[in-house]
Amino acid sequence: MTTSKEAFLHAVSPDYGYGGAIDGIRAKEYARLEGKCTVYLDHTGTTLYPASTVDAFARNLQEHIYGNPHSRHPSSTLTDGLVDETRLKVLAMCRADPSEYGVVFTANATAALKLCWEMCPLDAASASEFYYLRESHTSVVGLRALADSMKIAAHAIDADDVPAILATKPPPPVDGGEAAMAPSYSLFVYPAQCNYSGRRFPWTWPSLARHRQWLVAVDASAYAATSPIDLSNADAAPDFVALSFYKLFGFPTGLGALIVRKSRMPLLRKAYFGGGTGQLSSVMANTHWQMFRDTLHTRYEDGTVNFLDIIGLGIAIDEHRRIYGSMQAVAAHTHALYQWLYEQMHNLTHENGQHVCRLYIDHEMAHDPAQQGPVITFNLMRADGSPVGYAEVEAIASVNRIHLRTGGFCNPGAAQKWLQLTDADVRRHAEAGHVCWDDQDIIDGQLTGAVRLSLGAMSSYEDVAAWLTFLRQYYVEGMESAHRPAFFTTYRPKLHGPTDNITTAATSVHLSRLTIFPIKSCHGYSIPADTDWPVTAQGLLYDREWMLVRKDTERALTQKQYPILATIRPSISMARQELVVNAPGMDELRLPLQTLAEPSQRTDVRVCGEV
Ligand SMILES: Cc1ncc(COP(=O)(O)O)c(C=O)c1O
């Protein structure tokens, strides 16, 4: 495996780098990354904002007076006009004709999907059904709880089954025909890109449902950051598209949108009203009379919209275009970089020939940008075929300032598919105390989650090369392992040599070292070889005896949240009966074991959700 830039530039597609501009973009817009030596590879979590966007936004706020858009004075009409201008920019970005589609601003994609459900004319009496792709984010899966509450049948389906299922619903009855029956609509929701694996799903599915009794919503949250959305052929496009803007631009946060086909308006429900969405209402007599407003966003944006951030969004869209040219250019750049990374990880082997990375990717689709986004999700494997838990990879990557995401990524269907977990496995993991965001990465030998690298508009060769160097340094067994830093051995103790008093299956094993972790989540302490060490009912004395706790939340700190804990080195001095703590930038701390053991020093705290 080579990671030299020359070799990379020779091998990579010419689409990489915005015609040679990437290094300048990085230096100007993302200097804070270099300043903090950070390698950022979590763009599906959020991409990072360019410096120009926040500079332009700060200048703009200081130059203008923005009033509440529901008032009618000049600073209010200025806001209202800019909010509407941003709506048009969002539609232009999606190549959507404003006469066909409208934008309803929401707090995020999750809120957009929930609003979509509330709008749809679904009910059990008319046999409405809810279908969603199994590889959906929980923002979509959670809609099934609303379906259950309305006694509407909800079905998780696989990509291969979608065309046949869409064909099952009939066209709406023609006016006056077929006994003038009211149509019975069903809803199908799917992600344009799976946030777990990066797999992309066809934008042609809505055309199969069009002119049938379906409403189709596309969750484009993960897709839109690295690929253009094209709703220009409205007849073949979805009825709804959900977005979260921080995923595209890094800033603003707390702002999403539901893009809605306007011709569906007569069908759509409106129940709650508040703020500007009620045009007039009466509360004097107990008649519950109210009139809703009639344009799409005035009807569905309850309360005051996040108007300053919407103005910021307009600026973010303009700056993004100025910096990167177009979403097509971002798509081409990220796909080129992803392809190279994919090849490197796919071909990476230990000295014994075993693959280092188990990639959760369909290899036949891996090179087609219509079927795979710039995301690589995987688990690392040791040379003996045993898996490395995601929590370990995340902790060591974080200490090396590589920012990546691990776990189940709020996508239970994709996690079960790729990790081959049955429902019973998932329940067993839950009973063992595992929750999505904890460090229990392997239970009974079974992986509970994965590691995800996701590229964004500003990702560069240097990011990917730093990751590959890290991988080689820490996880490729063979020639390179001599270059690993010393502390790494605590994560992967090597057992070797003969022994005569344990089972035949383990005759080639002897115990070379015992490591305890006196302070939970901090560095381990290796018990000196010639020392007797007491074993108590809880295990080795002083193993996970103490932990660091936030006073406000009474929660234990974990290495996942605070990777810096890995640099705190506790040790036990039996001779002096002290816990000795060393960490960079602080004086050595010596605490008497006697005092620490006193019951008055104890308090209840939460660890992984348990008291
Ligand atoms: C595919 C997908 N859908 C929905 C969401 C939810 O987005 P938000 O948390 O911004 O509402 C995410 C977030 O990661 C996502 O990746």
Side-chain angles (χ1 to χ4, degrees), residues 44-45 108-111 113 137 139-140 191 193-195 219 221-222 244 246-247 405:
T44 302
N108 47 35
T110 305
L113 289 158
H137 190 273
S139 304
V140 173
Q193 178 175 309
C194 172
N195 67 303
D219 171 7
S221 335
S244 260
Y246 65 87
K247 296 210 186 282
R405 181 86 163 247

Side-chain angles (χ1 to χ4, degrees), residues 8 14 30 69 75 110 128 142 167 190 199 244 282 297 464 485 523 594 599:
F8 164 80
Y30 303 95
S75 48
T110 305
S128 294
Y190 72 97
R199 165 126 189 237
S244 260
S282 136
H297 62 270
V464 166
H523 202 279
Q594 172 83 32

